Amino acid sequence: MLAQQRNTLIAAFEAAAAAALNQPFEGVVTLEKPKDASHGDVACNLAMQLAKPAKRNPRELAQLLAEHVKANADCANLVDAIEIAGPGFINIRLSQTARVAVVAQVLEQGAEFGKSQAHSGETVLIEFVSANPTGPLHVGHGRQAALGDAMAAVMQTQGWAVHKEFYYNDAGVQIQTLATSVQARAKGLKPGDTAWPESAYNGDYIADIAADFLAGKEVKAADGEPVKGSGNADDIESIRAFAVAYLRAEQDLDLKAFGVNFDQFYLESSLYTEGKVEEAVALMVASGKTFEEGGALWLRSTDYGDDKDRVMRKSEGGYTYFVPDVAYHIQKFKRGFGKVINIQGTDHHGTIARVRAGLQACNVGIPQGYPDYVLHKMVTVMKGGQEVKISKRAGSYVTVRDLICWSGGVDESQPMLSQPEALTKGRDAVRFFLVSRKADTEFVFDVDLALAQSDENPVYYVQYAHARIHSILDQAEIDVAGLNNADLSLLGAPSELALLRTLVSYPDILSKAAEELAPHHIAFYLRELAGAFHTFYNAERVRIDDTALKTARVALLVAVATVLANGLAVLGVSAPKRM
């Protein structure tokens, strides 16, 4: 039901309960959509909730509640019939006027249909991707990018003010490994040589960085200052700065190809240069929740539910991974973000307890359970029936750019950004596929399926429904501007009623996806709506002589196309009108 219809029916049941029990009603009325459409449009179990405390037979109480609701004047144009089923379920069949009201609302609201201001005035920071600037973005980063961007969009539909942030781990051992890898290439070494560093990165991109560094080229990340290669292969610090800027610029291109933008890039190195890490350590020490043992500084994280205490500063010097994370989250909190969501791989599971423990030990007012985490599992890439594990450019993994190019049929001998149609197709497939499952489930990405123009390809299936509707509308010879006068009561065929039932659930799907931090609900919904449309298409015709019915069906299809486009937009996927 539409929100106003639901509120009217809830109020009617509340009044019915008060009348039936002859006392004020203080409970909660729950309305649900029956799994079987033959059971009606709405189900309510209020009678069974009230039966025991009221010491009444639940079926008799259900009948009494139903009579009160049917007699309620506010429900006159809302309820067509009420039936009692089983031990006391109340099944409600909405009136035709109520069922078709969703079409008029979609036509009126357009792109705003489904949105809510339930969280207006609230802010949330969503941190995702947050890759080390040591190589191109891999498919795991792609899953984070798709999840994070869709999650940000769906939360915005509920009124949240969303801040999207990318945290660069540009300090530590991996950055030093990057620098020594580029230095080795700059000195003429290559993987397999006797002097090649054992821990070095082996991808072709390392050779590209070294060549540009020696050539004195200039590189610049989107939010950084230009860095020029000095050409001095012995200057490891110059190499480090150039390599980080080079790879940040490369990751900017990956994100651009994927259609993902961030409000802010936050550098881990700044936490050290600005003294934020030392401040956080000092707070934890001052709290009395640390101790020294074996030359190392430890946090008593077991005091906060962790399974063991954790090393903060190693005996040989240097902080462990979670310490700058604690400092970073203190800064998030101080910047005014009371709600923070981190999207990371499941390999970060072990850091959750220690980061939260460190934040509590700092005693700066951060609530327990801060921040929230959404952990995603790995992505396996299949192509030609075989698992693909290695990208020549990356050396050891498949990159986001590989996946986009393969899924869109991009000619890799030409610049990717110069092929907008193929790029869009690849981006659409990758983004839709990577949010089509719960984050905590492993995902097999089938490149051949992404390329297929068939009903088996979920993004093609949904996009084709949208394009097919526009093809119908082009041939219908109905003035879309005059649809407000359509007689929607004529929409009574089974396939039309199924479309109406699916359309009206979109606002609830958005709300559920935001509440559960689960954008896969939207992907599931879009496939359901597309399926309902295809069923309608096979059952009914739009180009008919009955102008009134034709106009009503055109109005219905405009509403369906609008909601398909709205849902695809939330996922960052295009809604083509021609395919």
Side-chain angles (χ1 to χ4, degrees):
M1 291 186 295
L2 295 173
Q4 184 56 48
Q5 294 172 342
R6 181 186 292 108
N7 293 338
T8 298
L9 198 52
I10 287 174
F13 269 108
E14 290 172 344
L21 300 177
N22 198 29
Q23 65 184 45
F25 174 72
E26 297 179 353
V28 176
V29 176
T30 301
L31 303 178
E32 296 180 341
K33 180 182 178 181
K35 293 182 179 179
D36 187 340
S38 67
H39 294 167
D41 300 296
V42 186
C44 181
N45 65 354
L46 182 61
M48 290 182 289
Q49 292 181 35
L50 298 177
K52 188 173 181 180
K55 297 180 181 180
R56 303 278 292 272
N57 178 286
R59 279 190 64 92
E60 291 179 0
L61 186 54
Q63 189 63 49
L64 186 58
L65 291 172
E67 290 172 0
H68 278 289
V69 170
K70 283 191 288 186
N72 191 310
D74 292 338
C75 296
N77 294 319
L78 179 60
V79 175
D80 183 52
I82 302 182
E83 303 162 358
I84 311 304
F89 285 105
I90 304 172
N91 292 334
I92 302 150
R93 297 184 187 279
L94 299 178
S95 68
Q96 180 67 351
T97 300
R99 286 172 174 167
V100 301
V102 62
V103 174
Q105 189 165 120
V106 175
L107 295 179
E108 178 185 351
Q109 296 181 358
E112 297 303 304
F113 176 73
K115 295 182 180 180
S116 164
Q117 290 301 310
H119 294 278
S120 178
E122 299 180 66
T123 59
V124 59
L125 184 154
I126 304 178
E127 180 208 330
F128 58 104
V129 181
S130 294
N132 296 330
T134 54
L137 298 181
H138 56 61
V139 292
H141 297 134
R143 192 170 193 184
Q144 280 191 42
L147 285 168
D149 212 40
M151 200 175 297
V154 75
M155 293 188 78
Q156 285 173 329
T157 70
Q158 302 305 296
W160 289 92
V162 179
H163 180 88
K164 297 187 293 183
E165 191 153 293
F166 188 128
Y167 176 66
Y168 272 113
N169 299 102
D170 65 331
V173 175
Q174 290 178 312
I175 297 300
Q176 190 58 34
T177 300
L178 170 66
T180 56
S181 303
V182 175
Q183 184 178 52
R185 280 285 196 176
K187 290 186 174 183
L189 299 174
K190 61 182 183 298
D193 290 349
T194 303
W196 181 255
E198 183 178 350
S199 61
Y201 299 122
N202 298 328
D204 286 354
Y205 70 95
I206 297 295
D208 294 339
I209 298 172
D212 285 355
F213 174 81
L214 293 173
K217 291 189 177 180
E218 186 175 271
V219 292
K220 179 184 179 301
D223 68 325
E225 295 297 322
V227 178
K228 187 178 178 64
S230 70
N232 182 0
D234 293 319
D235 188 348
I236 190 68
E237 188 56 31
S238 175
I239 291 173
R240 184 200 65 78
F242 182 83
V244 168
Y246 183 103
L247 285 172
R248 288 195 62 204
E250 283 286 294
Q251 291 182 1
D252 287 341
L253 291 176
D254 291 337
L255 294 170
K256 183 176 181 180
F258 209 38
V260 176
N261 299 302
F262 286 89
D263 297 303
Q264 185 170 350
F265 294 91
Y266 200 108
L267 302 183
E268 179 188 4
S269 58
S270 71
L271 295 168
Y272 289 94
T273 58
E274 296 173 9
K276 304 302 183 185
V277 174
E278 291 296 340
E279 287 177 18
V281 172
L283 286 170
M284 286 184 270
V285 171
S287 72
K289 295 295 185 179
T290 63
F291 63 95
E292 294 201 29
E293 184 178 288
L297 179 65
W298 296 69
L299 174 67
R300 297 186 191 278
S301 54
T302 51
D303 288 358
Y304 301 97
D306 199 0
D307 59 345
K308 61 182 179 180
D309 295 331
R310 304 290 179 173
V311 173
M312 295 171 55
R313 186 178 61 238
K314 294 173 282 189
S315 57
E316 66 271 22
Y319 293 113
T320 54
Y321 181 86
F322 84 95
V323 176
D325 261 17
V326 171
Y328 176 40
H329 284 87
I330 290 175
Q331 298 312 305
K332 288 182 179 179
F333 187 73
K334 287 185 174 180
R335 287 154 58 198
F337 294 105
K339 185 173 182 64
V340 166
I341 302 167
N342 292 348
I343 303 176
Q344 297 173 319
T346 50
D347 56 328
H348 287 78
H349 184 273
T351 68
I352 295 176
R354 65 196 77 169
V355 169
R356 287 176 173 170
L359 291 171
Q360 293 306 302
C362 287
N363 196 29
V364 292
I366 293 177
Q368 292 184 10
Y370 182 100
D372 294 322
Y373 286 87
V374 173
L375 302 183
H376 69 86
K377 289 190 176 179
M378 64 178 290
V379 178
T380 300
V381 179
M382 302 291 291
K383 186 180 182 186
Q386 300 292 322
E387 181 178 352
V388 184
K389 294 184 177 181
I390 296 175
S391 159
K392 185 173 184 293
R393 175 159 173 72
S396 59
Y397 57 84
V398 177
T399 69
V400 171
R401 226 182 289 187
D402 290 332
L403 209 54
I404 294 171
C405 287
W406 296 341
S407 300
V410 172
D411 181 354
E412 297 182 59
S413 68
Q414 302 296 321
M416 178 175 59
L417 297 178
S418 69
Q419 304 172 67
E421 187 173 335
L423 177 61
T424 298
K425 180 182 177 182
R427 178 170 59 226
D428 285 349
V430 175
R431 289 184 69 133
F432 193 98
F433 276 39
L434 292 181
V435 297
S436 64
R437 295 288 185 276
K438 291 180 65 176
D440 62 0
T441 60
E442 293 187 1
F443 184 75
V444 176
F445 191 107
D446 188 334
V447 173
D448 298 323
L449 180 61
L451 284 167
Q453 296 188 15
S454 72
D455 291 352
E456 298 299 315
N457 179 345
V459 66
Y460 177 84
Y461 185 69
V462 174
Q463 289 179 321
Y464 185 60
H466 183 266
R468 176 175 266 180
I469 290 173
H470 277 278
S471 176
I472 294 170
L473 297 178
D474 287 344
Q475 301 173 44
E477 299 178 345
I478 292 292
D479 182 9
V480 175
L483 293 179
N484 291 337
N485 298 319
D487 183 0
L488 300 175
S489 67
L490 299 174
L491 299 173
S495 63
E496 293 166 345
L497 296 178
L499 269 176
L500 292 169
R501 281 193 296 270
T502 308
L503 274 177
V504 81
S505 64
Y506 180 63
D508 290 338
I509 294 295
L510 285 180
S511 176
K512 182 179 182 180
E515 196 68 29
E516 298 181 5
L517 306 181
H520 71 274
H521 288 308
I522 300 167
F524 284 5
Y525 170 81
L526 289 172
R527 292 183 69 177
E528 180 185 0
L529 181 58
F533 161 71
H534 289 304
T535 298
F536 164 85
Y537 180 84
N538 292 326
E540 308 295 341
R541 294 176 59 240
V542 175
R543 295 181 66 189
I544 55 179
D545 294 334
D546 187 335
T547 303
L549 180 57
K550 179 167 72 169
T551 303
R553 286 178 175 170
V554 166
L556 174 62
L557 293 188
V558 170
V560 173
T562 299
V563 174
L564 285 172
N566 289 356
L568 287 169
V570 170
L571 301 184
V573 176
S574 68
K577 294 182 179 180
R578 302 283 183 276
M579 290 182 71

